[in-house]
Amino acid sequence: MIPDLAALHAQGAAQQPTYPDSEAVDAAVARLRHFPPLVFAGECDELKTKLAAVSRGEAFLLQGGDCAETFAGVTADNVKNKLRVLLQMAVVLTYAGSVPVVKLGRLAGQYAKPRSSDTETRGDVTLPAYRGDAVNGFDFTPEARTPDPQRLVDVYNASAATLNLIRAFVNGGYADLRQVHTWNNDFVRESPHAQRYELMAGEIERALTFMKAIGADPDEFHRVDFHSSHEALVLEYEHAMTRIDSRTELPYDVSSHFVWIGERTRQLDGAHVELLSRIQNPIGVKLGPTSTADDALALAAKLNPTNEAGRLTFITRFGAGKIRHGLPSLVEKVTAAGVNVAWVCDPMHGNTFEASSGYKTRAFDDVIEEVQGFFDVHRSLGTWPGGVHVELTGDDVTECVGGGEELAEIDLGNRYESVCDPRLNRVQSLELSFLVAEMLRKA
């Protein structure tokens, strides 16, 4: 049984908005409970099967998308651009890394963000912190920053629109492997990664022509399986979107195929762990530098007591300077305990710093160094580096420094569009995929 919302809040719920009008909250939750599911339980089960293959070392997970989605970003071009860069990355990883790639978007629900402080002060004005479009507005005014539960209904509508677009693209021909050149048409032509991608796309095209000539044209060449994910943060939304599956009579969170618990909300006796322990979706937990092997084992016991393969993913986010020291003991003890888990690297959240210009940024070299450390640790232990979890966009933003474009701190103001954390742009994302593919070959 799923505990009711009041019981969850009483248990201790970190990172929750403080709504001024409880009746408005109840009304929004009641509306959400009557809306159709955004995803289906059977789709969640399919993803769990794919993640089981990741945990066995038979596949690799690519999880990526916005740090925080915005309602204004729900446009056909924006969704297509994010899908395109993920498809390009997946093709690179599959072809160059010679391993099946599970594609998981950080989208269609990633509208809420945990914050290190409940408030933000500018000059002599203090207002509630921006917690994502699911909670309040980005503008620094009392009206915008007041948490509004109606926004949870807006999250549902925005997520539904995004999923409709994604399904139309992946089933309507855009994800056809014969489109590999088309995905690159408007890329920066002088980028070495665009040229490298074109060479690989040509090889894929020749292979497809050969396959067709011998009469092989499987469905997998024309469409892809693409799933959605987000951090399960605002309890009202996740609870309202949890439904009993008619096939199994078991509860699923039908807001997304995969939901995860963040570093700030993974308390073993907290409300988020309690809620996600009751649903059947595949789930993830972020583990940072303060995580111990005992923490990981206790979370696995609580969240996956039957040790079901594909159910649990540990997403590690140590930082480039800490990954080699902090990760080995976790992997060793969890593996020795026989726990079924997929290990995935988040090389973004442990590598954020403030540039001299005041912009929050990340260095591309730090991102790559953390992924390399992740692979090195797993190789030394004989375990499988199961995937990467990356904040990225399909646009040519200037939010992370470095990479092939050699973006400098002075360039950050040119096109800094994120409302929360800095994302890799399209060129940096493609460069990352080639570098990870090389690591995969060695793994």
Side-chain angles (χ1 to χ4, degrees):
M1 287 292 292
I2 298 292
D4 62 32
L5 262 174
L8 285 173
H9 280 293
Q11 188 166 341
Q15 296 287 333
Q16 298 305 289
T18 302
Y19 292 112
D21 185 345
S22 60
E23 289 185 4
V25 175
D26 293 341
V29 169
R31 287 193 68 192
L32 286 168
R33 292 199 195 284
H34 286 94
F35 286 161
L38 289 170
V39 302
F40 297 105
E43 295 172 336
C44 299
D45 293 340
E46 289 171 8
L47 176 59
K48 193 185 294 183
T49 299
K50 292 177 183 295
L51 291 172
V54 172
S55 70
R56 293 191 300 266
E58 299 167 3
F60 190 78
L61 174 67
L62 172 63
Q63 185 174 7
D66 273 327
C67 154
E69 294 176 283
T70 62
F71 297 148
V74 185
T75 67
D77 283 345
N78 194 17
V79 172
K80 182 176 75 174
N81 289 349
K82 278 187 281 191
L83 176 63
R84 176 183 59 190
V85 73
L86 286 166
L87 289 174
Q88 284 182 310
M89 293 174 74
V91 162
V92 170
L93 289 166
T94 304
Y95 191 78
S98 300
V99 65
V101 173
V102 180
K103 292 160 278 291
L104 185 57
R106 184 186 161 107
L107 46 73
Q110 186 57 22
Y111 290 96
K113 289 292 291 182
R115 304 317 300 256
S116 54
S117 174
D118 287 336
T119 59
E120 179 184 354
T121 300
R122 299 185 190 178
D124 57 358
V125 178
T126 298
L127 295 174
Y130 172 64
R131 290 186 172 274
D133 278 12
V135 176
N136 53 2
F138 184 69
D139 292 342
F140 195 72
T141 65
E143 296 76 18
R145 290 298 177 92
T146 300
D148 179 5
Q150 171 59 32
R151 286 175 169 271
L152 299 178
V153 177
D154 296 338
V155 167
Y156 175 92
N157 292 328
S159 299
T162 300
L163 285 169
N164 283 342
L165 280 166
I166 292 289
R167 286 176 173 133
F169 282 130
V170 300
N171 293 313
Y174 187 73
D176 193 308
L177 262 180
R178 290 169 299 189
Q179 297 285 330
V180 286
H181 288 295
T182 308
W183 298 339
N184 220 38
N185 274 350
D186 61 348
F187 209 172
V188 185
R189 283 298 169 192
E190 59 269 24
S191 164
H193 305 294
Q195 296 164 13
R196 189 177 180 186
Y197 177 86
E198 276 298 309
L199 287 172
M200 190 194 67
E203 293 176 16
I204 291 172
E205 195 166 60
R206 284 190 293 275
L208 290 173
T209 302
F210 170 75
M211 296 288 284
K212 187 175 181 181
I214 62 172
D217 191 29
D219 185 53
E220 286 80 4
F221 288 176
H222 305 294
R223 57 177 302 281
V224 298
D225 289 333
F226 193 91
H227 294 89
S228 63
S229 69
H230 66 260
E231 179 178 355
L233 189 60
V234 181
L235 290 178
E236 277 76 11
Y237 185 74
E238 306 303 336
H239 195 277
M241 293 303 296
T242 298
R243 312 289 169 75
I244 301 300
D245 174 35
S246 59
R247 308 166 307 153
T248 61
E249 297 300 315
L250 295 171
Y252 285 77
D253 183 345
V254 292
S255 69
S256 196
H257 299 109
F258 178 101
V259 286
W260 75 83
I261 301 166
E263 167 79 351
R264 293 185 176 100
T265 52
R266 60 172 173 79
Q267 299 84 6
L268 190 64
D269 57 354
H272 292 86
V273 170
E274 180 64 31
L275 178 60
L276 266 63
S277 73
R278 307 295 187 98
I279 62 173
Q280 297 298 305
N281 306 55
I283 59 174
V285 183
K286 291 283 189 82
L287 298 176
T290 62
S291 306
T292 66
D294 288 341
D295 291 337
L297 289 170
L299 284 163
K302 171 76 173 179
L303 294 167
N304 191 20
T306 62
N307 204 22
E308 179 187 9
R311 157 71 173 171
L312 183 60
T313 298
F314 281 149
I315 306 164
T316 61
R317 40 154 295 179
F318 282 86
K322 298 178 179 178
I323 182 78
R324 287 179 169 83
H325 174 73
L327 184 60
S329 63
L330 263 68
V331 176
E332 279 183 304
K333 288 193 176 181
V334 169
T335 303
V339 173
N340 278 318
V341 66
W343 292 98
V344 170
C345 177
D346 168 1
M348 308 296 291
H349 286 90
N351 295 306
T352 308
F353 66 95
E354 186 174 307
S356 55
S357 55
Y359 285 102
K360 194 192 293 187
T361 190
R362 291 157 174 155
F364 184 79
D365 285 350
D366 290 342
V367 172
I368 296 303
E369 175 61 21
E370 179 154 3
V371 179
Q372 186 65 65
F374 176 78
F375 271 79
D376 289 347
V377 167
H378 282 284
R379 185 164 59 242
S380 70
L381 297 174
T383 50
W384 177 243
V388 290
H389 176 122
V390 189
E391 289 185 340
L392 56 80
T393 175
D395 300 319
D396 298 319
V397 299
T398 54
E399 296 172 2
C400 293
V401 296
E405 299 171 296
E406 298 181 349
L407 287 179
E409 289 191 17
I410 197 172
D411 300 315
L412 293 174
N414 294 346
R415 194 175 168 186
Y416 196 104
E417 298 177 2
S418 175
V419 293
C420 280
D421 293 338
R423 304 160 296 176
L424 299 179
N425 63 26
R426 188 178 170 199
V427 173
Q428 291 166 330
S429 299
L430 199 56
E431 183 176 359
L432 171 80
S433 64
F434 277 111
L435 293 170
V436 173
E438 290 171 8
M439 298 178 203
L440 265 174
R441 274 202 298 267
K442 296 172 183 174

